[in-house]
Each structure stands twice: as structure tokens, then as C-alpha cells.
Amino acid sequence: AQRVTQPEKLLSVFKGAPVELKCNYSYSGSPELFWYVQYSRQRLQLLLRHISRESIKGFTADLNKGETSFHLKKPFAQEEDSAMYYCALSAFSGSARQLTFGSGTQLTVLP
Amino acid sequence: SQTIHQWPATLVQPVGSPLSLECTVEGTSNPNLYWYRQAAGRGLQLLFYSVGIGQISSEVPQNLSASRPQDRQFILSSKKLLLSDSGFYLCAWKDRTYEQYFGPGTRLTVT
């Protein structure tokens, strides 16, 4: 069965500092990985997906199959980046493709 | 455009009472639908998913059940709530891509 691990429950950085949110996964197949974000009083929403190799709001994430990691990075954190971040893995289970989420990391960017 | 609704937004119920949470999706047909529970420090746990009317798959054995009486309606129910059922319940739908779209959620407190 697939598993997603986010080792940090809470992470605080100062504005302008680099930030890295860690995500490791275990899955026997070819993984499809995502980062979801939930800002205060807003819905959970997709931030980025590894297959599109895009940078969203300055965030990037590289899939490292050797280390089974998909860490989320931003070189200069902003206060508006404060939110709950979830790493997720998409895999078939039963009759449908499902997302398995990590336990989340609460990021706080301090002024 | 597609939208997803959940109600109620918040609910306080005594132990042993029944539960019915509703989720509806607009602007799409035959979506995959999902119920998640978000508990503090435990991330998002997939409870049920449905690939079509009347088709429900359960991921976690519990005293909750789900039904899909219409293509774009997904209901989470319980005959008798437990204290451990307290949490934040999220409904999501998925189109043909990998992305899931989440509703605003229902905060359930069992007292």
C-alpha cells in the first residue's frame, strides 16, 4: 500500500528566508505526486503537481525517485505563504484513482 | 464552471444521534466523489469514494456509511455517532485528470 510521510508538523521561518517542506513516499508503482495547500479559512486546493514541472507562487517541487522524496521549496518565503501544506500521492486502489495524503505541515512565515 | 457544495458548515450533535452530511457538485457529470476526514495532526483520511450512482467503496471500517443517490450527490451518514467521529469532513470530486477539487468542509463536534 502507498504511504506519504511529512515529518514536520510545524515549521516556522522568517520572511525572506528559504523554506523546504519535506515529503517522502512509498509506492511500488510509478508515482504521481502533488502538493495541496489550505490557507486560513479557505478550501484545500491544489498547489502544484510533479508532472507539470511548474513553479506556482514561487514554489517548486522535484520528484526524486532514488530518495522517494517530493520536497516543496521556495527560495524566499513570504508571510502570505503561511498555511497548511499537504503532500499527496495518486494511485489506483480498487476501481478508482485515489489520493493518499500526508499528515500535513503547518508553515508559519514570521515577519 | 464546476462548483462543489457541502452542508451544513458546522454541526454539534450528541453521542448516539444520527448524522447526515450532504455534498453536491455542479457543472460536471459522472465525477468520482470522495469523503475525507481531517483530524488534527493526522492529515486527511479517505473514508469513502464513489465512481457512480449507487457505487460506494469504503476505505476505513467504522460506523459511518455513504450513499450516492444521484450522479452529483454524495451523502455521509451515521445511525449513532461516537465521540471519535468528531472532525472536519471534506467532500471532493475528481474529473478525468488527477486533480481533486475540495468542498468547504463540515466541522462536526460530537458531545
Side-chain angles (χ1 to χ4, degrees):
Chain A
Q2 57 270 21
R3 177 180 289 182
V4 177
T5 303
Q6 293 178 251
E8 304 139 331
K9 289 190 186 302
L10 303 170
L11 182 63
S12 295
V13 300
F14 286 103
K15 177 182 174 181
V19 62
E20 180 180 67
L21 288 79
K22 292 185 169 54
C23 172
N24 289 91
Y25 67 90
S26 63
Y27 180 54
S28 57
S30 183
E32 299 289 348
L33 287 152
F34 306 81
W35 277 99
Y36 279 78
V37 60
Q38 189 169 28
Y39 300 102
S40 179
R41 289 186 287 279
Q42 293 189 29
R43 300 185 185 200
L44 188 65
Q45 58 188 287
L46 180 67
L47 178 63
L48 57 79
R49 69 195 78 184
H50 92 272
I51 57 173
S52 54
R53 296 180 178 273
E54 57 197 345
S55 173
I56 304 293
K57 299 184 179 182
F59 284 98
T60 58
D62 292 320
L63 176 61
N64 186 322
K65 292 187 178 181
E67 296 182 357
T68 60
S69 67
F70 188 56
H71 303 328
L72 183 68
K73 300 177 184 179
K74 185 169 182 176
F76 307 103
Q78 303 299 314
E79 289 181 71
E80 55 265 30
D81 296 328
S82 296
M84 188 72 165
Y85 291 81
Y86 291 96
C87 183
L89 182 150
S90 177
F92 269 105
S93 179
S95 57
R97 184 171 281 274
Q98 299 175 20
L99 281 175
T100 298
F101 286 86
S103 55
T105 298
Q106 179 68 48
L107 174 66
T108 302
V109 181
L110 304 167
Chain B
S1 63
Q2 300 87 2
T3 55
I4 178 168
H5 305 280
Q6 283 185 249
W7 63 91
T10 59
L11 189 60
V12 180
Q13 293 279 97
V15 168
S17 64
L19 172 73
S20 181
L21 304 182
E22 190 163 343
C23 169
T24 59
V25 181
E26 297 175 0
T28 185
S29 60
N30 198 30
N32 284 1
L33 295 172
Y34 304 82
W35 276 112
Y36 292 89
R37 177 165 55 206
Q38 188 178 28
R42 296 185 61 186
L44 282 159
Q45 180 185 36
L46 178 64
L47 302 175
F48 301 95
Y49 70 89
S50 171
V51 300
I53 295 174
Q55 300 179 63
I56 309 295
S57 295
S58 174
E59 289 298 299
V60 182
Q62 60 216 319
N63 71 320
L64 298 172
S65 62
S67 61
R68 185 168 177 177
Q70 300 180 44
D71 180 46
R72 287 167 284 183
Q73 184 185 31
F74 204 23
I75 297 172
L76 183 69
S77 305
S78 174
K79 292 182 178 178
K80 289 185 177 181
L81 283 168
L82 305 172
L83 284 174
S84 56
D85 292 324
S86 293
F88 192 60
Y89 289 83
L90 286 168
C91 181
W93 71 274
K94 189 183 80 68
D95 57 13
R96 291 183 178 83
T97 70
Y98 296 124
E99 183 172 356
Q100 290 190 14
Y101 302 87
F102 287 83
T106 296
R107 172 75 60 192
L108 171 66
T109 303
V110 182
T111 60

